[in-house]
Amino acid sequence: FVHESPRWLLSKGRVRDAEAILQLMAKKNDVIPPAVLFNRLELEDMMAKRKKSYAIIHLIKTHNIRVITIIVLLVWMILAIGYFGLSLSTPNLHGDAYLNCFFSAVIEVPAYVASWLFLRRFSRRFSLSGSFFLGGAVLLFIQLIPSNLSALATVLVMIGKFGATSAFSIVYVYTAELYPTVVRNMSVGMSSMACRFGAIISPYIFYLGVHYEFLPFILIGSSTILAAILVLFLPETLKTPLPETIGQMQKIKGFACRSTHINHEHLSTNGTAGEAITMVRKKEEI
């Protein structure tokens, strides 16, 4: 009952099928489409690109996409450890186990609503990073709660579950928007595989509680905050066109500027080289 992605159809050269779906979308939204959706030059360009095949190796082929892929895989793995770890640890909380399990399930409803609002109104990066930071910070405070206030510790765990659930909803959309159409399905699939590795690891995290009661919460909280920091290096995708090719992907933040600055300092040691690089930069600005 769900139509195929027009972008994917175009990448496969199925222009007529893509046009039919776009016409249907326009009709459903009361929009009058242009008489010609794709001109001849665009179609020739798409057909030329269609001949190139892509594999998983393309997710790490260039420096920019390699850094993005590594960060995304780490974020998905840490997210799975936190989400499934908190879900499976519900019987270990103080109080009635059935009631805690009920609260753990109910807290996901406002978390999904919050993630929907975040995606509509706020930056992708800061929404995901904020959800990670909220979920991780509260878990680090659990060890400071006195034993006679066990209910407060349970509330903090539920807030941590709220943050993890919101992040889980946002990360799917954000990952799909980061990658171009030609490798988008592979990137989401590979990220989901990393997520399963995190899910496999998550039950063993709470076995560490036999050594120190709060050690699992410290590990999950600190790793989640690390994920919140890593997300800030990813490019923003809100209100930006989805990339079609790897070359159209946005640049990772923080790395390119730093390397350019280092190269500039190195070349400036020679006066002639310093003047040359200055002239090139002025030309680029013009």
Side-chain angles (χ1 to χ4, degrees), residues 90-91 93-103 154:
T90 303
L93 298 176
H94 297 283
D96 186 81
Y98 296 100
L99 195 59
N100 291 336
C101 185
F102 172 76
F103 290 146
T154 302

Side-chain angles (χ1 to χ4, degrees), residues 100 124 131 148 152 159 165 169 179 188 205 226 234 243 265:
N100 291 336
R124 301 284 195 261
S131 298
N148 59 335
L152 181 57
I159 295 176
T165 304
S169 302
Y179 288 90
V188 176
I205 295 292
L226 172 62
L234 296 174
E265 288 183 348

